[in-house]
Amino acid sequence: MKPIYTTLFFLSLILLIGCQDPSKEKITKVITSHENVTIICNPSKGNNLFSSWGTFPNKEESIRRIFMEVSLGHPDSIDIAHWDYMDPIRIGRIGGTKGDTLDLEIGKMLTPYGSNFKKDWRWRWRIDVTDLASILRDSVEITYNHTGYEGANVGWDLNISFDLELGDPIAEQLSYRKLYDGGFSYGNPEKPISASLTPKTITREKGSEFGRLRILHTGHGMDKPKGCSEFCSRWREVLVDDNVIDHRDMWKECADNNLYPQGGTWIFDRAYWCPGDLQAPDVIDFPITKDTHTIDFEMEPYTAEENIQAYESISAILFQYGQPAKANDVSLEQILVPNNAPELNRYNPANVEPKIIIKNLGRDVLNSLTVTYKTKGFEEKTFEWTGELEFYEEAIIVLPGTIDYAFGENQFNVQLEKPNGKVDQWPQDNTKTSVFTSPNEMPNKVVITYQSNNAPEDNTVRIIDTNNKLIYEKTPANTLKNTLYKDTLNLNLGGYRMTLDDTANNGLEFWFNPKQGFGYLQISDIDGRVLHRFESDCGIGEQFDFTVNENPKIDRNVEQSLIKLYPRRIRKNTELLVQLEEFSDGEIQILKDGALQKTIPFKKVKDKTFDIDMSSFEDGRYVIELFVNGESKLKQRISKQNK
């Protein structure tokens, strides 16, 4: 006979599970508007609309957060596109085909230079669009406007979806109003931007506590003398009742882009955008304290002298809200480290210092917080955070200590508790889990191979351990240009971080600067097997965390071949260095806009430098792709110009 206490235990457990408050569980929905849509340019117009409908919850269902996710991939039927175009994403009609047309911009997608990307390439971006929650209801038309002048034989595979978190709104939205929307001439003495960005008077809604400006803003064009607006830094001010509430430099560093390397000038800083970027909006809150307020945008005064074509693409929507619904409400926005997400590749994998992003969604200033974190299967750790976060402000928290892991795939869990020492009034967004792969394992004896380029004064190579102790360093002071260095290290057991830093933000190689030459950096075992190879075209540099074990599990998937195409900005000739593990057959293809121009076959090659003569080719941009035994080993863009 089964003991009665066992039966009672399981009965109690069932009742406990069954009686849990369902409101404590996060409820989510995913709405897809565009799924595997092949988008191409319309060169006769310079833009091409791709519209599709999404069915969102009705107005009776409460929505707490909405995030828009956009992904681009290599199309199945055509080649991938090459150019960095600004593609607006807008809400078109609402309520069906006969409904109202709103034409509200909700995102700006800046396409990457795609010529280097292979058939299996795909990337995703994600931004917060919660402020549009009152509009994203029932049937909504989402329009993706692919701009540019490329031919119909190249394009992208597009997906757009919306991740919804259902539940109490952070604050009640009372109204919205479009303030500015368009391309505004900049630096044109006959059409000053101040004449277009005129002040707007707003009227307070009943119960309104604060206003929120949601701004999407990029600069384009190439005038003289400053290269505005794409390549010139200029400031923008937002004023309320003639008082500046926001001043910022409309400029963005691009050499730290997570999507790298790209085919074009991806490292060049730009006018508040970078190639391969879904722009996150500027969100600026201000108190509404009287019946009317005046809002004004001002740009840094500037007058172009030649090639007057600069413009500022600006959309700004004003939302009015009641007071935030909760006093103490914090959200765990993202686990940055450790995390396998491709867009976080600049930080991962890592041995130390987990990183998270938190956001204060409560009306009280957030001054303290308890963070508990652990890798599944390991001991839980606790960190007491203190700081000062106003409503809707974010902070990156670096958690102390090493990251626990088993070899292979792991789960990392984080939970937020006790904002300001009190119970979080919306705990459903206080936990997250990330999946991460443990850092590579290495033997204790390794060889560091460093081929410097023609500008070694820009580069530093370092190895530190988890206690931040310097183990190895190659600085500009002890490095000659265009020189091969090989150093053998005997490392103790434990974790390490190896970094390549570039103060010029152009890596060991960048096609636009052929005089820079090219270099490379790799770690090998004493038998010559490559254990890790750094990307030479890496902008600001790279970091690589690894661990030394007595019996390391070596990654056998590391590419052993050394393949370099240099130079990639040419008048007549370029060279392709091919060093393979064994004698192999293959071919070199030269393409232009996806069309094959020339094939160079080869047989039984192991170590050879191919001289590729392109003197008979017309000027333009080409792609050179190397196939070895049918597998694509290299795909890079080159620019041929006789001038």
Side-chain angles (χ1 to χ4, degrees), residues 149-165:
Y149 298 91
E150 292 185 285
N153 58 334
V154 295
W156 305 96
D157 181 85
L158 169 70
N159 289 277
I160 301 177
S161 62
F162 297 84
D163 296 339
L164 281 64
E165 297 177 12

Side-chain angles (χ1 to χ4, degrees), residues 201-421:
T201 299
I202 65 165
T203 301
R204 181 179 189 174
E205 300 287 345
K206 183 179 180 180
S208 178
E209 291 289 329
F210 69 94
R212 170 169 296 163
L213 289 165
R214 185 182 192 271
I215 307 169
L216 295 165
H217 184 169
T218 55
H220 306 273
M222 186 72 172
D223 67 14
K224 293 182 179 180
K226 289 183 63 176
C228 288
S229 279
E230 182 170 346
F231 293 108
C232 77
S233 174
R234 66 269 180 263
W235 53 255
R236 182 197 71 202
E237 289 183 340
V238 177
L239 298 88
V240 174
D241 299 332
D242 296 323
N243 297 309
V244 176
I245 64 167
D246 185 79
H247 175 102
R248 66 185 66 199
D249 188 10
M250 304 303 293
W251 193 241
K252 186 170 184 178
E253 181 178 295
C254 294
D256 61 352
N257 196 330
N258 294 331
L259 176 51
Y260 75 99
Q262 298 180 33
T265 55
W266 68 273
I267 68 169
F268 289 174
D269 300 344
R270 283 173 167 83
Y272 217 48
W273 63 274
C274 295
D277 184 23
L278 177 63
Q279 187 186 56
D282 295 330
V283 175
I284 304 167
D285 290 352
F286 63 94
I288 294 182
T289 58
K290 55 184 183 178
D291 291 341
T292 62
H293 290 281
T294 300
I295 298 175
D296 192 14
F297 283 20
E298 292 188 2
M299 295 293 300
E300 180 177 348
Y302 168 68
T303 301
E305 297 174 4
E306 297 180 50
N307 198 33
I308 299 173
Q309 58 170 237
Y311 72 96
E312 304 289 327
S313 177
I314 303 173
S315 66
I317 305 174
L318 170 71
F319 300 89
Q320 292 193 42
Y321 286 95
Q323 74 169 358
K326 317 292 185 186
N328 294 285
D329 181 5
V330 64
S331 169
L332 176 55
E333 296 290 284
Q334 191 174 23
I335 299 174
L336 296 175
V337 178
N339 199 321
N340 273 353
E343 60 271 20
L344 299 176
N345 58 6
R346 290 280 188 183
Y347 316 109
N348 292 281
N351 279 312
V352 295
E353 295 183 338
K355 293 182 178 68
I356 62 173
I357 300 177
I358 66 168
K359 191 167 194 168
N360 181 21
L361 301 179
R363 58 180 177 267
D364 289 353
V365 176
L366 182 65
N367 295 123
S368 64
L369 182 70
T370 299
V371 184
T372 58
Y373 55 103
K374 62 174 290 186
T375 301
K376 185 178 180 180
F378 292 85
E379 184 179 350
E380 186 175 83
K381 302 174 183 179
T382 301
F383 176 69
E384 298 295 336
W385 175 86
T386 58
E388 187 173 335
L389 275 187
E390 299 284 348
F391 170 68
Y392 227 68
E393 288 184 345
E394 293 184 349
I396 295 177
I397 299 178
V398 179
L399 302 172
T402 58
I403 298 171
D404 298 317
Y405 50 78
F407 178 79
E409 187 175 282
N410 297 263
Q411 287 187 3
F412 189 75
N413 305 306
V414 181
Q415 182 170 354
L416 308 181
E417 297 176 299
K418 300 178 181 177
N420 293 329

Side-chain angles (χ1 to χ4, degrees), residues 58-167:
N58 61 40
K59 293 185 181 296
E60 304 304 316
E61 197 164 7
S62 294
I63 297 177
R64 181 170 173 82
R65 307 285 297 275
I66 306 181
F67 297 89
M68 179 173 69
E69 185 170 302
V70 178
S71 75
L72 295 176
H74 195 299
D76 291 333
S77 57
I78 57 176
D79 202 5
I80 198 165
H82 304 312
W83 281 99
D84 57 329
Y85 292 125
M86 190 272 287
D87 292 354
I89 305 171
R90 307 180 78 90
I91 294 174
R93 292 167 289 179
I94 60 172
T97 56
K98 296 182 179 180
D100 295 334
T101 298
L102 299 186
D103 195 25
L104 289 175
E105 186 173 59
I106 58 175
K108 290 183 188 291
M109 181 70 230
L110 292 310
T111 59
Y113 292 104
S115 54
N116 287 6
F117 303 149
K118 298 181 181 180
K119 290 285 187 181
D120 60 350
W121 177 85
R122 179 168 292 280
W123 201 263
R124 74 181 186 106
W125 300 264
R126 179 181 168 97
I127 61 170
D128 192 331
V129 294
T130 302
D131 293 312
L132 287 306
S134 66
I135 304 167
L136 294 171
R137 299 289 182 157
D138 300 312
S139 295
V140 180
E141 182 185 36
I142 305 298
T143 298
Y144 186 98
N145 184 6
H146 185 37
T147 64
Y149 298 91
E150 292 185 285
N153 58 334
V154 295
W156 305 96
D157 181 85
L158 169 70
N159 289 277
I160 301 177
S161 62
F162 297 84
D163 296 339
L164 281 64
E165 297 177 12
L166 304 183

